[in-house]
Amino acid sequence: QVHVVESGGGLVQPGGSLRLSCAVSGTIFKIYNMAWYRQAPGKQRELVARITNTDSTKYLDSVRGRFTITRDSTKNTTYLQMTSLTPEDTSVYYCHAEGALAPGHDFTHWGQGTQVTVSS
């Protein structure tokens, strides 16, 4: 069984910063990709940032240069450092992990989400 738990959300003023964390636990053989998505009310869920097991990264155009995704493979954890936040970044942020429980037994799992609110 896999558990994906996000933390670090909250209320921040425009121009401020937040750091989200996502820890993956369970009987895991390997984690391939880890990613952050977000979904605002009335909008579709969108990919914010992704990092592979070779540390290749991909970003949503609107966050490139402001957000940084990293991972600590020893802890099965990924981080999203968010800076220069704007009200448009207000969303529920979800962590997504893809990996394998054993060779040939892949998994894909979502976290429960963490609210980020950017407001003065």
Side-chain angles (χ1 to χ4, degrees):
Q1 193 171 6
V2 176
H3 298 277
V4 177
V5 179
E6 304 101 332
S7 60
L11 173 65
V12 62
Q13 291 187 340
S17 299
L18 276 178
R19 188 196 195 205
L20 305 182
S21 300
C22 170
V24 182
S25 62
T27 306
I28 297 169
F29 172 66
K30 190 171 185 177
I31 297 178
Y32 303 128
N33 304 320
M34 301 183 80
W36 290 94
Y37 288 74
R38 68 187 182 187
Q39 186 168 20
K43 294 187 177 181
Q44 289 190 331
R45 188 171 297 190
E46 60 182 358
L47 174 66
V48 176
R50 175 186 288 133
I51 187 166
T52 71
N53 58 348
T54 58
D55 289 338
S56 175
T57 57
K58 177 180 178 179
Y59 293 94
L60 180 68
D61 285 347
S62 63
V63 309
R64 188 175 292 112
R66 299 188 297 122
F67 292 9
T68 303
I69 187 170
T70 57
R71 67 188 285 172
D72 183 342
S73 296
T74 65
K75 298 180 180 179
N76 289 339
T77 299
T78 185
Y79 306 95
L80 186 68
Q81 179 67 49
M82 305 185 293
T83 63
S84 302
L85 285 160
T86 73
E88 289 69 37
D89 295 315
T90 296
S91 273
V92 178
Y93 283 72
Y94 296 91
C95 181
H96 182 255
E98 299 172 295
L101 301 176
H105 291 79
D106 291 348
F107 73 85
T108 176
H109 204 89
W110 291 94
Q112 80 289 350
T114 185
Q115 176 70 46
V116 171
T117 302
V118 185
S119 176
S120 55

